[in-house]
Amino acid sequence: DTMTASTSASANYLNAGTLKLLDLTLKPSTSILTSLIGDFTGSSGKQQELAILRADGSIEIWATTSATAAEPGLRMLMSSGRTHSVLRSAVPVRLGGSKRDLIVVGSDSGCLSVLDFNMAAGAAGEAGLRPKILHCPAFGKTGCRRETPGQYLAADPKGRAVMVAAIEKRKLVYVLNQTSSSEDNGNSGEPKVTIASPLEAHKSFTITFSLVGLDNGYDNPLFAALECTYNDYNDDFDDDDMNYTSNNGLDKQLAYYELDLGLNHVSRRWSTVVHSSASVLAAIPGGSDGPGGVLVGGEDWIQYVHEHQTNLIVAPIPRRKNHPTNKGILLTSITVHRQKKRKFFAIAQTELGDAFKITLHLNPENPAEVQGITVSLLDSLPIANSINITKSGMLFLAAEFSDHNLYQFERIDLDDAPSNSTAIGIKDIFECTTSRASELATVFDPSKKLESLRIINKMSSLAPATAVLVGELAGGEASPQIYTLCGRSELSSLRILRHGAAISELARSDLPGVPGGIFTIGSKYIIVSFADATLVLSIGATVEEVDDSGFLNNVPTLACSALVDGGYCQVHPSGVRHIRPNGQTKEWQCPGLKRIEVASVNSAQVIVALAGGEVVYFELDSLSGALTEASTKEMGVEVACLDVGIVPKGRSRSLFAAIGCRDQTCRVVTLAPDQLLAQRSSTALRARPHSVCLQLHEQDIFLTIGLDDGSAMRASLDSSSGAVGGPTRRFLGARPVGIVRATVNGQSCTLLLSSRPWISKSDPSGKYSTLPLSYVPLDHACLFNSDIIPEAIVATAGSTLRILSVEKANENFNQTRVKLRYTPRQMCLLGGNLAICEA
């Protein structure tokens, strides 16, 4: 029995081992590992772009807009999608003569990737929205290993070489070249990039802490590395030998590595001892733009170091009031910004979040000589993983424990700010202790109020998430919420995530009954249709009912629209009413006892379906201005829905109409003058169609069909033949699906109405996606534009009229934030309350 049970358990284990698991990400990572500034796509003009490396392995390109623009901030241009790798480092590279930057990425793949984000490389189709991998040479094993290069990356400012380093021992240098040949490069206007075999610059028993590329003009490329060389302790040793002194071989050093382009060789050219707490480097502009060299940041001190600098230039950083005098303050990041020729400054941040402006004082007679350094308090900011400064005077901060912020500089001259200058009397770097810094440093009171910067844009971040709870705790919502504890100290919060894009309700008004449809006439009228009446509302400073619009008020409205000649068209069950610009009206009456079942109108065309399956097509005569009957057709089956599409720019008519029939088919007919209502294609459906919509996306036409079973189908439509491509189907809810054309953030999209509203649009990567809207179910909706509200949706839910705006349609979840005072650790449910433990 024991053997049988064991065998059975083993068989079950083997069966379980054959299972295939699929990883689906509900929400992309919001944490930023590092960010780069440059011109990567060539599509943003004079505005610079940000390359953002996410923790989930994706790379995004964002365009920065000026602070004086109508909507200052950031706009996503491209995304690499998930690379399924651990990104470790990245650096921008601009080859000589090029106008764009490439991105060199180090990851756990054991390869060095050179990426080109040129949007023109494949503008037709989705390929233009993803980067092109120019080179991906392998140099080591996969995984984040201490001896596998990829942790640090540095590039020569002239784009001639890239150094990739491991945490320990190994360093490789790749020489980049470009040829005049443009074959296989994806863009005939760009030279072809080549990469040479790596050159080794290894040094055993050496740990690397930071790496930068020095600006050496057009001389041989130089790289600066912050290193610590240790002994080979294979035998027993005394713990006392591990003290950081100047004689035991454990001092940190700043080393220069030179790439000799003539000999094709890398050598360790020069080194010097720096402070034992040094942790970060920043390269100073050199050649004709500055003195060159590096800034070395550590605990309490910042130092300028260069190969030919003979005197010690070091300055303490200002300290917070009441900060312990025996506790150091570590500099975690330094960013250098070039303004003009020989004009630049640096921004350094400490582990407490205080940001300082660092200014170097040059010798007027010899600009290559640095005489002193000044450290001035800028502002107290969230602790950053990366800081970037644009030429337009904006600062992007990729925060470690809170939302990422985009700031605008209000001032850069900090004459009245707490400052420290070069320390006098210090002749040796080992005299730079914490106690000495406490004596020399200026003291300031930290303030949460920004003095030199102004926030103009925020990018939400959930990092770090310390606890997560999932459940329907709000009561009465369609889907459960995700409760997560985020952040640290006073920047922490409780985030409530709801699946769907956020909706802002701008206005709400009660109606005299439950409407059967809603329409808008440009920015002038809102038409609300009831079972036996039509309500016409005028749009202005206020929304008011009017009686002199020319619309019939005693009949329901099936469809209406503004016409290209300035008139209006109203379709009601008994006929088609044409209201001319001069106020005169002309009516087309249904023949006999027939009535109009469904209708669709655009700015120049009208198509109606009568009871029995007869379709009548009308067109606006451009000469006479009359709306005339152009053709009729018997479909042979009752018509459930139809759509005439919209008139493309530069055209006088829509070329196709979609007709949904009760025999579970959708037929596409042509509206070409010589073949009016001729059928071009037919698509069999799984259920009866409830609504159809022809949507233009750039030069492509898409057909969307809403079915009675709560699902929607989407397919491409050939603009020449009218043939329908392979459709995709998605279940949306328990109610029949209504379809409405809408515009969000200047982009055409489709609103789908079922047991909850959905929006279907292209995401920044070029993929068409369907996202729910975090709002109550809507019965009818229509696009709404006015001078006050440029892009909105007017909709009905029950007997209420609502004006809505879609916010952040690219995000799968919308957030509600509850601020916390301290770092949250755990949370749990106590009865009907949520208990949070903070520390």
Side-chain angles (χ1 to χ4, degrees), residues 75-93:
R75 175 175 55 90
M76 182 184 283
L77 294 179
M78 298 176 65
S79 174
S80 68
R82 295 183 63 187
T83 58
H84 300 285
S85 61
V86 178
L87 302 180
R88 305 173 71 186
S89 55
V91 65
V93 176

Side-chain angles (χ1 to χ4, degrees), residues 146-147 166-171 203-209 226-235 237 241-245 247-253 268:
R146 66 178 186 176
E147 289 193 1
I167 295 177
E168 186 174 355
K169 183 182 177 180
R170 298 184 64 193
K171 294 183 181 68
K203 192 172 187 299
S204 300
F205 309 117
T206 300
I207 297 176
T208 303
F209 295 89
L226 185 61
E227 302 175 342
C228 177
T229 301
Y230 61 91
N231 297 323
D232 186 10
Y233 290 104
N234 292 324
D235 300 326
F237 60 88
D241 292 339
M242 296 303 294
N243 294 328
Y244 282 85
T245 66
N247 298 316
N248 64 355
L250 291 177
D251 298 324
K252 284 187 180 177
Q253 294 183 341
R268 197 170 191 259

Side-chain angles (χ1 to χ4, degrees), residues 30-36 50-54 74 332-333 335 349 381-389 395-407 457 459-461 463:
T30 55
S31 176
I32 297 179
L33 300 177
T34 187
S35 57
L36 313 172
L50 279 171
I52 293 176
L53 276 68
R54 299 282 189 180
L74 298 170
T332 57
S333 63
T335 300
Q349 190 183 38
L381 307 174
I383 300 174
N385 283 334
S386 179
I387 295 178
N388 306 102
I389 305 174
L395 183 147
F396 177 73
L397 185 144
E400 184 178 4
F401 300 117
S402 63
D403 292 342
H404 317 298
N405 298 328
L406 182 67
Y407 300 88
N457 192 270
M459 187 184 297
S460 177
S461 173

